[in-house]
Amino acid sequence: MSVLQELQEAVGRVARDVGPSVVGLGRGWGFGSGIVTGEGSILTNAHNLRRDEVTVTFADGREATGRVAGVDADGDLAVISVETGPAPPVKWSENGTEPVVGTPVFALANPGGRGLRTTFGLVSATGRSFRGPRGRRITGSIEHTAPLVRGSSGGPVVDESGRVLGINTIRLEGSLILALAADASLRERAEALA
């Protein structure tokens, strides 16, 4: 099997396995994407939300109205409470398996509920920092090359096994993406917000 065939199969497998856990927020070009983290909970970026309620579009096309359960504006995280139905929660990367430069990654999004996008890239840097929505410096981010369209923030970046390594947050020049690292701290904050 050629490298391109293996890559094609990997992208398809990640889309099939992780795609049902990725949701769209808003409508059309809408607000962004999010991930199902547990029954009744969607994790996304705080900058994706404009009000206390948001339309959530699931992979099967079902729409529901979600309410903001908690917001960490300094960390650019938010949790939405909504009936998740059969949508499965994502699988997190295991503690201590942080990506290194060159790690193959897959980025997923459902921008504004317009359908799943799955792209391939490589980790280009780790330990990056940026300013959050309120100007606070956020450290420890993952920079990767998997291209994403507008409305993709809040979607996951995963490894080849479909385990979440980060939450896509900012598009940089040169089509690079910064993702909040899905480390133990992020997961603890997400649980607290829920």
Side-chain angles (χ1 to χ4, degrees):
M1 183 180 295
S2 74
V3 172
L4 290 179
Q5 286 174 313
E6 289 178 9
L7 180 57
Q8 178 182 353
E9 288 185 6
V11 171
R13 183 177 61 251
V14 166
R16 182 181 66 247
D17 294 348
V18 183
S21 304
V22 180
V23 302
L25 303 177
R27 295 180 189 240
W29 286 96
F31 306 133
S33 301
I35 55 173
V36 178
T37 56
E39 187 175 336
S41 290
I42 304 291
L43 180 65
T44 189
N45 291 121
H47 74 255
N48 286 336
L49 304 176
R50 307 290 184 272
R51 41 192 156 309
D52 290 337
E53 291 189 346
V54 63
T55 299
V56 179
T57 304
F58 293 89
D60 60 8
R62 180 174 58 92
E63 288 188 358
T65 299
R67 286 197 60 79
V68 175
V71 175
D72 173 3
D74 287 334
D76 201 11
L77 285 178
V79 171
I80 298 164
S81 178
V82 66
E83 175 55 52
T84 51
V90 293
K91 296 175 183 169
W92 298 100
S93 63
E94 296 181 21
N95 290 335
T97 57
E98 296 177 13
V100 296
V101 172
T103 300
V105 293
F106 303 84
L108 296 95
N110 185 351
R114 291 181 296 117
L116 183 68
R117 309 303 202 273
T118 307
T119 60
F120 170 77
L122 301 170
V123 171
S124 51
T126 59
R128 294 287 314 272
S129 65
F130 64 94
R131 297 263 179 216
R134 296 197 325 193
R136 185 169 179 234
R137 184 160 296 283
I138 298 173
T139 60
S141 297
I142 301 164
E143 180 186 277
H144 66 84
T145 64
L148 292 168
V149 299
R150 183 176 170 235
S152 296
S153 60
V157 58
V158 304
D159 64 16
E160 61 185 309
S161 299
R163 296 187 181 277
V164 177
L165 300 172
I167 306 299
N168 294 308
T169 303
I170 295 178
R171 281 190 302 173
L172 303 172
E173 292 180 24
S175 299
L176 296 172
I177 307 292
L178 282 182
L180 298 171
D183 55 16
S185 171
L186 181 138
R187 284 179 259 175
E188 288 169 8
R189 285 183 289 148
E191 289 174 11
L193 290 173

